Amino acid sequence: MGCAALLWGWLLLGCSWGSAPPGVSAAALLTATYVLDDASGPGRQFDGIGAVSGGGATSRLLVNYQEPYRSQILDYLFKPSFGASLHMLKVEIGGDGQSTDGTEPSHMHYENDENYFRGYEWWLMKEAKKRNPKIKLIGLPWTFPAWIGKGENWPYDYPDVTAYYIVSWILGAKQYHDLDIDYIGIWNERAFSSKYIKLLRYTLDKHGLQQVRIIASDRLWEPISFVLLLDSELHGVVDVIGAHYPGTKTVPNALLTKKKLWSSEDYSTFNDEVGAGCWARILNQNYVNGNMTSTIAWNLVASYYEELPFGRCGLMTAQEPWSGHYKVEAPIWITAHTTQFTQPGWSYLQVDGHLEGGGSFVALTDGLGNLTIIIETMTHNHSQCIRPPLPHFSVTPQRATFYLKGSFYMVETLQVWHSRLGFESGNSTLFQQLHPVKVWKGSFSLDLSVDEVYTLTTLKTGQKCGCPEPPPPQPFPSNYKDDFNIRNPPFSEAPNFADQTGVFEYFINASDPGDHVFTLRQVVVQRPITWASDADQTISVIGNFQWVNMTVTCDIYIEKRRDGGVFVAGRVDNGGIYVRRTKGVFFWVFADGTYRVTGDLAGEEILMKGLSGVRDNAWHTLTLNIQGTSASGLLNGYPLWENVTISKPSNGWAAIGTRSFEFAQFDNFHIEAS
Ligand SMILES: *[C@@H]1O[C@H](CO)[C@@H](O)[C@H](O)[C@H]1NC(C)=O
Ligand SMILES: *[C@@H]1O[C@H](CO)[C@@H](O)[C@H](O)[C@H]1NC(C)=O
Ligand SMILES: *[C@@H]1O[C@H](CO)[C@@H](O)[C@H](O)[C@H]1NC(C)=O
Ligand SMILES: *[C@@H]1O[C@H](CO)[C@@H](O)[C@H](O)[C@H]1NC(C)=O
Ligand SMILES: *[C@@H]1O[C@H](CO)[C@@H](O)[C@H](O)[C@H]1NC(C)=O
Ligand SMILES: *[C@@H]1O[C@H](CO)[C@@H](O)[C@H](O)[C@H]1NC(C)=O
Ligand SMILES: *[C@@H]1O[C@H](CO)[C@@H](O)[C@H](O)[C@H]1NC(C)=O
């Protein structure tokens, strides 16, 4: 097909791109027409595209990046007309328990405790707001501190306590960080309680938080939809039905509720081009197939050790604060196709968005004459998400002719942004601006190939920056020390330690004579209301998963407890939701004056044991040395045990931790590894 053959005013883009693939003549292309008209009024209101930080600890390493890299990453995520330009940020309300890739601290570890400066979600929300004051904020708990359940692993026995706890978090966000939380959830992917949801609404209102909207129940469409249809009081207090991984479909009951329908957690896919294909497909099809008006990715940024569960399932990757290296992955630019050209408050046009040759489109308007059309032609193999399974479908090259009617009849040109995922061929194009399309008598045509995304829009504000390259990747430093004296305000955790059970916080003991004023302290003293299978021991991992040989040294302090105990470990091979099955080489000392060497965190695989003379309320120095198949341990610099044979694991992180949920302190941590 030659350019001259195209009528003036029809899309001339076919000259350089979008033309029929070799061997397929233009005449053979499937051709179909689509009408975009607002005469019968707008469709559903669009609520925005967002991403989750947390659920859990997914932004852990981000906070330790040096400037300017940290700000560059934040710009790619939040800055309008720049990169992903997200409309919404959903954060975990830390509950001290394991929530997938780590634990996040609660603002109330204990009943009489309140602190709104723990963790990094406050900071992240502020950084997001700084860049986009209109960004919507959502909070959702995965776990709760133990006192909420008064000993039961359940947050609804005392719904007034739980509501008070959640509302405190919202009030604290305002009081200490001037953050307005827009939406609040119930309990991630777990049961809901109608009584609790009503009490939550009541408690919000009582504290002047009428504007905070409730999302329920961050699990499946049912049973919440069914219950909303039966219980009119509940129907009156729930604003949004949030379903997870809906596979772009909704259910009749959800539609009958007439509530806003959101995919309140989705994506969760490795962030290569197939991940980008998944994201492109669901961003459109969650609306086209399932009437959903918001899609929220888990997770925002892969800032956790890659070997933890669901490594690199973020919109971009920033998992090396020690080198400053990060990667703006393809899903960022797929996000931009929608986010840079729409805003929450726009409306979808009422049109069946299925393309005849496969793929989909959505059309949105601000009601002021602006129009944005997003088209995707993702093929099955190239757009599978991690879940649910994707039924087979086919997509072929096709010509789409759009007729603009109603308010859009007078549109003369549309800006064009294009991506093509190249997959194996490696020649992808991501978010490139092409020549504008001339609309002639309300119509234009587009030749679509497969695995493409187009945005056609009246808005001229789109941007793809030519930003500086980040520094090259580097492994975690092989000689690493932290005496916990130099802190990284405003954070409560030491750099690069990734808590997997329990919470390890900076601690100041002002009455210490001098050696151990600034320490790291494990502070969770009761098993939290769990979301995953937290270990019975606490553990925080650090370093390079590929490490084989290492010497880990750390000063330890068991706080007044006869059955207390702590460990240092190497070759630690697991974490996240699998933390209970963690193996490694663990060197434990106990307050009863004994020590053990075990091959697992659970302490069942005993490799060596004996007397150490360690006691509580005193500082000791532990050294664990692992070389090849042999390990040895020193106490206060003197050999305690040696020649313990290690067969597996062959490599892993270093770690510190405690025997149970108990207070303990750590100081002068040092690893030398290879
Ligand atoms: C839901 O989406 C389907 C498919 O696009 C559409 O036919 C239907 O009218 C929508 N229903 C509601 C209630 O929005
Ligand atoms: C489109 O949006 C821009 C920017 O928000 C606004 O200035 C303009 O009035 C809107 N309408 C049209 C028809 O461009
Ligand atoms: C899709 O993937 C399957 C399994 O990897 C493969 O057998 C099939 O040929 C692929 N289809 C296309 C169209 O690439
Ligand atoms: C990728 O690039 C190669 C070489 O430039 C070209 O032959 C091929 O057609 C391209 N593939 C696609 C899908 O455009
Ligand atoms: C603080 O240091 C003093 C003096 O060494 C000690 O007695 C006390 O137990 C320490 N407190 C904690 C919580 O570690
Ligand atoms: C680990 O130590 C063993 C024994 O000293 C040595 O043979 C091996 O090469 C070392 N491996 C690495 C990766 O340093
Ligand atoms: C450990 O092994 C070394 C080298 O084989 C040997 O010299 C030493 O006596 C052993 N120590 C013990 C306690 O068995």
Side-chain angles (χ1 to χ4, degrees), residues 256-418:
L256 284 173
T257 65
K258 299 200 158 48
K259 292 291 175 189
K260 286 177 176 293
L261 309 182
W262 290 7
S263 177
S264 54
E265 188 184 310
D266 215 325
Y267 177 67
S268 194
T269 300
F270 191 77
N271 61 21
D272 60 8
E273 295 215 336
V274 175
C278 150
W279 187 229
R281 182 174 54 77
I282 64 180
L283 279 181
N284 268 13
Q285 295 195 16
N286 277 344
Y287 175 73
V288 170
N289 298 334
N291 312 67
M292 285 165 261
T293 54
S294 169
T295 296
I296 300 175
W298 187 87
N299 56 68
L300 174 73
V301 51
S303 279
Y304 46 103
Y305 292 111
E306 187 167 340
E307 297 81 4
L308 286 168
F310 306 99
R312 274 185 57 190
C313 288
L315 296 178
M316 64 181 284
T317 307
Q319 55 190 17
E320 285 191 18
W322 46 88
S323 70
H325 180 72
Y326 62 84
K327 193 149 181 256
V328 183
E329 311 278 4
I332 290 287
W333 300 117
I334 295 300
T335 315
H337 271 284
T338 298
T339 51
Q340 289 203 13
F341 310 105
T342 57
Q343 286 300 323
W346 283 43
S347 299
Y348 284 100
L349 295 191
Q350 299 187 55
V351 55
D352 177 359
H354 295 96
L355 292 169
E356 296 206 0
S360 69
F361 70 92
V362 291
L364 297 108
T365 181
D366 61 354
L368 304 170
N370 281 303
L371 175 68
T372 290
I373 307 165
I374 304 134
I375 303 170
E376 62 78 27
T377 57
M378 293 302 137
T379 55
H380 181 270
N381 274 20
H382 288 158
S383 67
Q384 292 188 46
C385 307
I386 200 167
R387 69 177 87 90
L390 185 60
H392 182 77
F393 60 85
S394 63
V395 180
T396 56
Q398 57 194 299
R399 172 170 296 175
T401 301
F402 287 89
Y403 288 94
L404 308 187
K405 299 197 169 167
S407 321
F408 313 117
Y409 181 72
M410 298 310 286
V411 170
E412 290 179 349
T413 55
L414 290 168
Q415 308 300 311
V416 182
W417 291 83
H418 175 245

Side-chain angles (χ1 to χ4, degrees), residues 427-448:
N427 45 2
S428 302
T429 318
L430 292 170
F431 200 60
Q432 292 297 320
Q433 184 162 24
L434 304 178
H435 291 295
V437 172
K438 296 263 180 248
V439 183
W440 198 59
K441 291 194 173 169
S443 162
F444 67 92
S445 293
L446 200 56
D447 284 353
L448 304 170

Side-chain angles (χ1 to χ4, degrees), residues 507-586:
F507 182 66
I508 299 179
N509 184 352
S511 50
D512 183 272
D515 286 351
H516 301 288
V517 176
F518 298 98
T519 68
L520 194 66
R521 188 187 201 204
Q522 199 298 113
V523 296
V524 179
V525 293
Q526 248 188 305
R527 186 179 182 76
I529 296 176
T530 54
W531 183 79
S533 296
D534 297 43
D536 299 324
Q537 305 74 26
T538 75
I539 178 170
S540 189
V541 304
I542 185 167
N544 183 340
F545 192 78
Q546 303 312 324
W547 281 341
V548 173
N549 297 327
M550 63 188 96
T551 302
V552 187
T553 301
C554 193
D555 297 345
I556 59 95
Y557 184 87
I558 302 168
E559 290 186 33
K560 286 199 198 80
R561 197 175 153 138
R562 270 297 148 77
D563 59 351
V566 305
F567 69 80
V568 300
R571 292 194 190 168
V572 172
D573 76 342
N574 226 326
I577 49 176
Y578 308 121
V579 65
R580 281 187 85 84
R581 51 169 111 129
T582 299
K583 307 273 187 213
V585 183
F586 292 80

